[in-house]
Amino acid sequence: MELLSFPICAVLISLLINIVYFSRHRVSNYETKIYGGLLLTNLIESIFALLGLIFIIKNIDSIYNEWLVKIDYIMILFWSFILSLYVFYLNFSEIKHRKKIIVIYSLINICVSLLILFSNVSIEYNNGVINTFGLSTSILFFMVFIYII
C-alpha cells in the first residue's frame, strides 16, 4: 500500500489543479491552451500510472500491465512534447514556419507512440520495487532526452 501513496497524491493534486484552472475564466490565447493541455495530460498520465501500479501490485494479468505501462509511456511522451511545444512557442513566437515545425514534430510524436505501443516492455516487481525495461522504455527515454535538448 505504501507504493500507492505517492501516485494517489499525484492524482488528487493534479485533479485539484485542473479543477481550479478550468473553473476560472482564462485569457484565450495559444499559451493558455497549451498549458491547459499540459494539465490534462498530467492528470491522465497520473491516472494511468496509478492504475498500472494497482494492476502490478494486485498481480493482475501481465498483458494488461504491459498495455497500461505502454499507455503511460505514451502519455509521458505527449506531456514532454507539449512542454517542449510550450517552451518553443514562448521563446520563438516570431518564427514564420512555426506551424509546419509543430506539424512535423506531431507526426514524429505519433510515429514514436506507435513504436512504443508495439515494442516490448518487461515489468519486474520484487520486494516492493517495480522496474520496467525493454525497447519501449529505451525509446521513451531517448525521445524525452531529445525534447529536453
Side-chain angles (χ1 to χ4, degrees), residues 40-54:
L40 283 175
T41 306
N42 187 39
L43 177 63
I44 295 168
E45 190 277 326
S46 297
I47 291 170
F48 275 109
L50 179 62
L51 287 174
L53 280 175
I54 290 171

Side-chain angles (χ1 to χ4, degrees), residues 25-82:
H25 179 69
R26 296 170 305 283
V27 176
S28 181
N29 61 19
Y30 197 66
E31 295 167 8
T32 56
K33 289 178 184 177
I34 296 174
Y35 185 72
L38 274 172
L39 292 177
L40 283 175
T41 306
N42 187 39
L43 177 63
I44 295 168
E45 190 277 326
S46 297
I47 291 170
F48 275 109
L50 179 62
L51 287 174
L53 280 175
I54 290 171
F55 276 42
I56 291 169
I57 291 171
K58 296 295 182 183
N59 204 12
I60 297 176
D61 190 15
S62 66
I63 285 290
Y64 296 123
N65 293 342
E66 291 176 10
W67 280 99
L68 277 173
V69 167
K70 289 178 183 181
I71 292 171
D72 186 41
Y73 283 179
I74 291 170
M75 295 308 300
I76 293 170
L77 180 72
F78 273 95
W79 187 88
S80 302
F81 169 69
I82 295 170

Side-chain angles (χ1 to χ4, degrees), residues 111-125:
C111 291
V112 170
S113 296
L114 290 173
L115 274 173
I116 288 173
L117 201 59
F118 294 111
S119 41
N120 67 333
V121 65
S122 298
I123 305 165
E124 284 184 357
Y125 177 61

